[in-house]
Amino acid sequence: MGTLTNKRILLGITGGIAAYKSADTVRRLRDAGAEVRAIMTAAATEFITPLTLQAVSGHPVHRQLLDAEPGQRPTDAGAQDGMDHIELARWADALLVAPASANFLARLAQGRADDLLSAVCLATQAPVAVAPAMNRQMWSNAATQANLATLGKNGIRIFGPAEGSQACGETGPGRMLEPAELVTQISQLFVTGELDGLSVMVTAGPTWEAIDPVRGLTNRSSGKMGYAVAQAAAEAGARVILVSGPTALADPERVQTVRVSSAQEMYDAVHAHVGTANIFIGVAAVADYRPSQIADNKIKKDAQNITLELTRNPDILASIAALKPAPFTVGFAAETEDVEQRARRKRESKNLDLIAANRVGTNLGFGSEENSLLLIGQDGVTPLPIQPKTQLARALIRHIAVKYHATRTAGVRQIRR
Ligand code: C5P
């Protein structure tokens, strides 16, 4: 898997000869695992056609500030191009403007919002990077340099430019970085270092409790949230072990993935690998009960009624929280009612450092691309608003990193136990 797996990259293309390289940039971003949408300024379309970008990105190109149908979500089935500037801004995990013309840098430095690309740059919370491309004199001009200083101060990342021969026949600084280098630099934006040197274990997905060789009890967990959490922990610098029930998802990059089926297998795998884990995050939707007996052969439909006797499964999360010493232990609570109250009680009864509660049963939660969470710890409640699960996972990991470092510094957990 690539270094940008599951990342959503918005590629902004402005008017410059280097725009002809944009198709290659999109292709390389996708090869690295990213989903890519392109925004073109009017000038960019003089250099490369929107059709080319649509073909290589697999999505219609966004061009106008005011032509979107409001209200359509990027994750709605069939929604392709009905995203306004706010939805595009929220959709992106990172925004890369390549090539970024001198004119665009000036407009970005001013905080203009009079076309789609500049408006999205203003509206997004995701990191924004620009890859300048222009004639060397334009690059060296004091006005351009002042704009770059402003952009740097505003947290915009500047990728390049490189030095070399230019389309105008001159040689010097101002060449856009090559697409391969842009992909490398954008990948590095996702490495935060918040969990450097730490070891994290995550459980994810449903479990499968066999009834006979072909049938079983399971639930609707897709594994998306747990996988996103594992990946966010890896991006934060942790060594990550993911113990996963059956899912249709590919192993996350830079994560050691252990596949299991039943709750008992998950329990065994967790205890076999937990070792010196500093943080344990139980995201799996573990079956509470399993059939007391697994039939050796497929059960025949002879009888009118049959009874299935169920036996309680071990609580994996609680068993980890009970270890001495225990890792910083985080649980999830999917509730249909009284979300906060029930989650609070669950945190206390399982002796968790933190619980992430969410409401299920509406169209959020299981299987969906988006979710929101209520993080309940010893010292308060932090809501994480609705957002794509990949972004939610990063926000959760940031919160866990802060709490982990705070408790370990203060020795709070040792006192609490
Ligand atoms: O008690 P409840 O199932 O609602 O608790 C949910 C939390 O406990 C989740 O973090 C889930 O991963 C974990 N859990 C577990 N083992 C079980 C049941 C739940 O680790 N047998």
Side-chain angles (χ1 to χ4, degrees):
M1 297 191 85
T3 52
L4 290 172
T5 305
N6 293 333
K7 305 294 184 303
R8 294 161 159 187
I9 309 294
L10 258 185
L11 178 67
I13 304 163
T14 71
I17 184 64
Y20 83 88
K21 296 184 179 175
S22 301
D24 191 29
T25 308
V26 171
R27 190 180 60 80
R28 286 172 188 272
L29 287 167
R30 293 188 71 187
D31 284 350
E35 185 181 351
V36 184
R37 286 177 180 264
I39 299 179
M40 297 178 79
T41 64
T45 62
E46 304 287 336
F47 293 90
I48 184 166
T49 70
L51 196 60
T52 303
L53 271 303
Q54 172 172 334
V56 289
S57 70
H59 291 292
V61 171
H62 302 270
R63 290 193 281 164
Q64 306 288 337
L65 185 54
L66 297 173
D67 68 353
E69 297 162 39
Q72 274 197 300
R73 313 289 312 214
T75 48
D76 283 351
Q80 288 285 303
D81 51 354
M83 294 167 73
D84 68 15
H85 61 290
I86 300 298
E87 286 169 315
L88 278 168
R90 282 187 53 202
W91 175 86
D93 291 321
L95 217 152
L96 169 65
V97 183
S101 65
N103 179 52
F104 181 76
L105 296 180
R107 298 174 60 247
L108 189 60
Q110 284 177 10
R112 302 273 289 263
D114 51 3
D115 73 0
L116 180 63
L117 182 56
S118 52
V120 171
C121 287
L122 271 192
T124 193
Q125 286 186 17
V128 177
V130 294
M134 67 199 71
N135 162 273
R136 68 185 177 91
Q137 296 290 1
M138 293 172 81
W139 170 254
S140 310
N141 189 290
T144 302
Q145 291 301 315
N147 289 332
L148 283 159
T150 303
L151 294 176
K153 201 155 47 72
N154 293 347
I156 308 282
R157 277 75 159 184
I158 319 286
F159 292 173
E163 293 210 16
S165 63
Q166 302 201 304
C168 52
E170 298 181 16
T171 303
R175 272 175 67 94
M176 186 179 83
L177 290 185
E178 292 303 323
E181 179 60 23
L182 292 176
V183 172
T184 303
Q185 296 214 11
I186 205 93
S187 305
Q188 283 161 4
L189 290 182
F190 294 99
V191 179
T192 68
E194 285 153 335
L195 296 178
D196 266 352
L198 298 179
S199 160
V200 175
M201 176 174 271
V202 181
T203 65
T207 61
W208 172 265
E209 310 300 329
I211 297 171
D212 68 16
V214 293
R215 304 185 184 95
L217 301 175
T218 188
N219 60 64
R220 292 174 54 212
S221 167
S222 63
K224 282 178 190 160
M225 190 67 211
Y227 279 52
V229 168
Q231 200 172 334
E235 285 167 11
R239 194 170 64 78
V240 183
I241 301 178
L242 171 66
V243 181
S244 171
T247 71
L249 305 174
D251 294 359
E253 55 174 310
R254 285 169 285 154
V255 168
Q256 181 188 342
T257 305
V258 180
R259 300 266 178 181
V260 297
S261 185
S262 66
Q264 188 60 51
E265 281 173 29
M266 187 175 277
Y267 178 96
D268 294 342
V270 160
H271 282 274
H273 290 91
V274 71
T276 53
N278 305 95
I279 298 170
F280 180 89
I281 311 171
V283 194
V286 184
D288 293 326
Y289 293 93
R290 64 175 180 275
S292 305
Q293 308 230 306
I294 304 176
D296 290 336
N297 295 306
K298 188 178 167 192
I299 298 171
K300 311 285 180 300
K301 55 175 177 213
D302 299 332
Q304 192 59 32
N305 297 303
I306 59 170
T307 303
L308 204 57
E309 191 191 77
L310 302 177
T311 302
R312 230 354 229 275
N313 272 326
D315 192 310
I316 301 166
L317 184 62
S319 73
I320 292 295
L323 292 174
K324 290 197 173 17
F328 185 92
T329 310
V330 183
F332 269 66
E335 304 290 350
T336 52
E337 59 197 319
D338 298 337
V339 178
E340 187 172 338
Q341 270 305 322
R342 286 170 186 270
R344 268 181 201 287
R345 279 204 294 274
K346 203 164 282 183
R347 190 186 85 77
E348 276 157 29
S349 69
K350 299 196 189 201
N351 201 16
L352 308 176
D353 291 286
L354 187 75
I355 195 153
N358 68 307
R359 186 180 291 278
V360 290
T362 53
N363 45 9
L364 287 177
F366 286 162
S368 72
E369 294 292 336
E370 295 197 325
N371 209 347
S372 63
L373 290 174
L374 208 54
L375 306 184
I376 304 168
Q378 218 176 358
D379 56 353
V381 178
T382 308
L384 298 180
I386 178 163
Q387 54 199 302
K389 283 180 176 173
T390 47
Q391 292 175 15
L392 192 63
R394 286 185 209 120
L396 172 66
I397 288 294
R398 270 197 300 279
H399 186 92
I400 291 173
V402 169
K403 297 295 174 197
Y404 171 82
H405 291 300
T407 36
R408 286 312 185 252
T409 315
V412 172
R413 190 173 179 94
Q414 281 82 344
I415 293 164
R416 190 160 69 79
R417 290 183 169 241

